[in-house]
């Protein structure tokens, strides 16, 4: 590109074919917008229990994305070719030859289950047979490692991520106090005053959780393996509760912090024997309400809140776990909407997530006969994000205009940005919009500002050059019919006293036709014959004294 007289005069049009739409469809017509992530034209799968991976180009991303979904007979590690870095369900034919240890993630379910102990039955830390638990954990490690050990006798796990699902704690003080009336709880604890009982429970439960992870580290070689647990994070939040407290309260009030991750040795922030063993924080962001429920649009703010609030409490990397179904309590685990899947794949990284885990309820069988089209929309979101992989490599800055908690409070549209090398990548979405509703959304970074327009619930993803001041669009520029079989008419109103240069270019950037017309002629419409054009895409460029705008024309 060349910058002449303060405006771009030539465009690298082949970029239209390389994964981006360049300067086409800019909501404001501004040349400050460099690239928008291409939306692939694909037909979602319609047959049950299939994911059609090969309809997407192969691509990678610069951060871990774990595929914990069903494989449906794939033995060629297709997720690893389409944006995912790890697979949890590895087929025998894929082991080592197609899926190496660094590409495998282990999800350890039932960590506290199966022995009928108080930890499982009552969620109590007392009177548990830890010898029985250690035997259970030892057996699991032996099985998952195939019995292979290193020179120190530690089990060798063929993986680089180990997620442990514990989920056996009473989270609230009121819930903890219900144990005081249970005769299975030792009398020496039941006789304590309420506050002392609660504090003792929290201390002993934290120690029990820590004991479990300590055993894993003692018996397994975790060299090169990150350890994390499901939803054991500083802030575990209910879907409806994010707006109950201010953002300042959520991020400074120690009473909001999950006691498992509180520093019990001093009055301070997160810490303690359990927290110290975690390499990642894994908040859960399953969605609760189906459209058209008024709360359904909160899904994205909730996902981003869980990411942002836990980043505020800890420097450990955050890896949200997401599910492409609604929570069972509301909708019987129906799949989420296509735009929700695409937004879920894109937005967490704009709020500072360092990884993303896509989960599905095991075991994976064909009995349900579900149509997994929503998985393809998630893959599509990852693909669009991959067009800007360089923006997330090395040093970059997040632009979070308003905390997700505040967006939830007003049910406002979401935009987030990433800045690198004087470029701003913008993701935007209005999860509350009606179909075809136009949402005008101002975006800004320091002294730079721009306005974009969203249509319906579209997931917007475009790159801007911060060194370029936005040029106002040409008022009411219309192109019709489009596709243009025989002719195309260009029309623009409200340009008194102005002239316009109207150019048609091919995708190689060659000017096919050019003419200068008055505002009056342009208001009445300029008609151009397309009969001799070969079928394909063409670029309309209209340049006036008040601005420059481009549109894409299709010749069928």
């Amino acid at each position: 590109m060349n910058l002449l007289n303060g405006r771009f005069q030539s465009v690298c049009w082949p970029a239209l074919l390389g994964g981006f739409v360049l300067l086409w469809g800019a909501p404001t017509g501004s040349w400050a917008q460099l690239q928008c992530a291409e939306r692939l034209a694909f037909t979602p799968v319609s047959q049950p229990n299939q994911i059609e991976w090969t309809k997407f180009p192969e691509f990678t991303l610069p951060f871990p994305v774990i595929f914990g979904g069903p494989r449906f007979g794939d033995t060629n590690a297709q997720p690893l070719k389409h944006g995912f870095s790890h697979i949890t369900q590895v087929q025998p034919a894929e082991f080592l030859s197609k899926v190496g240890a660094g590409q495998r993630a282990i999800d350890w379910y039932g960590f506290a289950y199966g022995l009928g102990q108080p930890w499982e039955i009552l969620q109590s830390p007392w009177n548990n047979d830890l010898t029985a638990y250690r035997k259970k954990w030892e057996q699991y490690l032996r099985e998952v490692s195939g019995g292979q050990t290193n020179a120190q006798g530690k089990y060798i796990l063929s993986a680089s991520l180990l997620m442990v699902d514990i989920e056996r704690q009473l989270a609230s003080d009121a819930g903890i106090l219900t144990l005081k009336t249970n005769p299975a709880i030792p009398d020496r604890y039941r006789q304590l005053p309420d506050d002392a009982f609660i504090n003792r429970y929290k201390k002993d439960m934290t120690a029990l959780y820590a004991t479990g992870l300590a055993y894993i580290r003692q018996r397994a070689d975790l060299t090169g393996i990150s350890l994390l647990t499901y939803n054991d994070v500083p802030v575990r939040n209910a879907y409806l509760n994010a707006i109950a407290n201010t953002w300042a309260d959520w991020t400074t009030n120690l009473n909001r912090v999950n006691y498992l991750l509180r520093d019990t040795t001093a009055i301070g922030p997160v810490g303690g024997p359990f927290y110290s063993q975690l390499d990642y924080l894994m908040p859960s962001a399953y969605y609760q309400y189906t459209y058209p429920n008024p709360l359904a649009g909160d899904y994205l703010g909730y996902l981003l809140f869980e990411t942002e609030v836990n980043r505020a409490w800890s420097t450990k990397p955050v890896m949200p776990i997401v599910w492409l179904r609604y929570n069972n309590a509301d909708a019987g685990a129906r799949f989420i909407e296509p735009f929700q899947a695409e937004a879920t794949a894109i937005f967490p990284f704009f709020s500072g997530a360092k990884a993303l885990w896509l989960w599905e309820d095991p075991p994976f069988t064909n009995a349900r006969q579900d149509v997994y089209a929503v998985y393809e929309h998630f893959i599509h979101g990852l693909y669009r994000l991959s067009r800007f992989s360089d923006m997330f490599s090395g040093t970059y800055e997040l632009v979070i205009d308003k905390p997700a908690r505040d967006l939830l409070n007003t049910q406002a549209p979401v935009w987030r940005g990433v800045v690198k090398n004087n470029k701003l990548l913008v993701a935007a979405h209005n999860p509350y919009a009606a179909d075809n509703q136009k949402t005008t959304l101002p975006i800004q970074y320091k002294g730079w500002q721009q306005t974009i327009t969203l249509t319906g619930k579209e997931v917007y993803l475009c790159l801007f050059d911060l060194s370029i001041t936005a040029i106002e669009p040409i008022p009411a520029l219309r192109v019709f019919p489009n596709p243009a079989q025989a002719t195309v008419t260009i029309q623009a109103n409200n340009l008194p006293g102005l002239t316009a240069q109207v150019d048609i270019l091919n995708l190689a950037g060659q000017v096919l036709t050019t003419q200068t017309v008055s505002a009056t002629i342009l208001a009445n419409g300029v008609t151009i014959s397309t009969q001799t054009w070969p079928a394909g895409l063409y670029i309309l460029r209209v340049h006036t004294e008040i601005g420059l705008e481009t549109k894409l024309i299709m010749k069928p």
Side-chain angles (χ1 to χ4, degrees), residues 246-538:
T246 66
W247 177 243
D249 182 80
W250 275 120
T251 56
T252 60
N253 187 346
L254 288 173
N255 291 326
R256 308 292 170 232
V257 175
N258 177 1
Y259 62 82
L260 289 177
L261 292 92
R262 285 284 298 273
D263 186 351
T264 56
T265 63
I267 298 176
V270 297
F274 174 67
Y275 171 84
S276 64
Q277 299 188 63
L278 297 174
D279 296 312
Y280 276 91
L281 300 180
M282 177 181 260
S284 167
Y286 302 159
Y287 307 143
Q288 302 284 345
Y289 299 99
T290 59
Y291 285 88
N293 189 300
L295 297 173
D298 289 349
Y299 83 90
L300 183 57
Y302 175 59
L303 168 62
L304 300 188
F305 171 79
E306 286 292 314
T307 303
E308 292 168 11
V309 74
N310 284 296
R311 284 186 62 238
W313 280 106
S314 174
T315 58
K316 291 180 187 280
V318 173
M319 180 191 298
I321 185 168
V322 295
W323 194 21
L324 299 186
R325 301 176 188 265
Y326 292 103
N327 186 288
N328 285 333
D330 178 78
R334 286 179 287 174
F335 287 119
I336 62 177
E337 300 293 331
F339 64 84
Q340 289 181 279
E342 189 169 315
T344 298
I346 292 173
F347 274 90
F349 302 103
F350 285 81
S351 282
K354 295 299 184 182
L356 191 63
W357 190 303
L358 174 59
W359 179 82
E360 177 59 275
D361 190 11
F364 304 119
T365 69
N366 293 337
R368 297 180 69 147
Q369 293 295 301
D370 289 338
V371 176
Y372 280 77
V374 70
Y375 270 68
E376 297 183 357
H377 290 285
F378 186 90
I379 297 164
H380 183 234
L382 292 180
Y383 171 75
R384 293 183 67 203
L385 188 62
S386 75
R387 304 301 84 195
F388 302 107
S389 287
D390 62 307
M391 292 294 292
F392 294 92
S393 301
T395 302
Y396 58 88
E397 177 187 353
L398 299 177
V399 182
I400 299 177
D401 182 54
K402 292 182 180 178
R405 179 267 169 210
D406 294 349
L407 297 175
L408 285 168
N409 192 42
T410 57
Q411 293 198 324
V414 177
W415 80 268
R416 293 285 184 268
V418 171
V419 172
K420 180 181 177 183
N421 296 335
N422 214 32
K423 301 294 190 296
L424 171 64
L425 178 62
V426 173
H429 174 49
N430 185 358
Y432 307 101
D435 293 344
N436 299 317
Q437 173 186 332
K438 298 296 183 181
T439 301
T440 300
L441 187 59
I443 58 176
Q444 59 280 322
Y445 173 73
K446 297 182 178 178
W448 184 94
Q449 59 184 4
Q450 178 64 285
T451 300
I452 63 175
T453 301
L454 308 177
T455 301
K457 298 181 183 69
E458 72 164 302
V459 180
Y460 175 97
L461 189 61
C462 291
L463 185 70
F464 292 84
D465 188 332
L466 297 175
S467 66
I468 302 171
T469 302
I471 302 171
E472 289 300 315
I474 299 168
L477 178 63
R478 299 177 60 221
V479 179
F480 59 93
N482 194 6
Q485 182 70 50
T487 63
V488 64
T489 298
I490 298 99
Q491 184 182 52
N493 298 318
N494 303 320
L495 297 174
L498 298 177
T499 59
Q501 179 178 317
V502 179
D503 301 327
I504 304 292
L505 302 87
N506 62 20
L507 292 184
Q510 298 171 324
V511 178
L512 304 182
T513 68
T514 184
Q515 56 183 300
T516 300
V517 298
S518 69
T520 301
I521 292 175
L522 194 59
N524 291 327
V526 175
T527 300
I528 299 173
S529 173
T530 64
Q531 287 184 335
T532 61
W533 296 6
L537 297 176
Y538 297 84

Side-chain angles (χ1 to χ4, degrees), residues 132-202:
Y133 270 118
R134 292 186 182 100
K135 182 178 179 180
K136 167 186 168 67
W137 300 333
E138 182 82 10
Q139 180 180 350
Y140 178 88
L141 291 172
R142 183 183 304 113
E143 291 175 354
V144 78
S145 68
Q148 296 186 66
T149 59
N150 63 13
Q152 290 74 43
K154 291 188 174 185
Y155 293 107
I156 299 173
L157 308 182
S158 181
S160 62
L161 289 169
L162 174 58
M163 184 269 283
V164 183
D165 186 12
I166 304 177
E167 294 191 88
R168 299 315 293 161
Q169 64 162 131
L170 293 170
S172 70
D173 291 356
I176 294 170
L177 284 176
T178 62
L179 294 179
K180 284 195 74 175
T181 61
N182 193 313
I185 303 301
D187 287 341
R188 64 182 181 278
Y189 298 128
R190 295 171 61 197
Q191 293 172 4
L192 292 171
D194 286 357
D195 286 349
F197 181 86
I198 291 170
N199 290 335
R200 186 71 196 188
Y201 176 94
K202 291 179 177 179

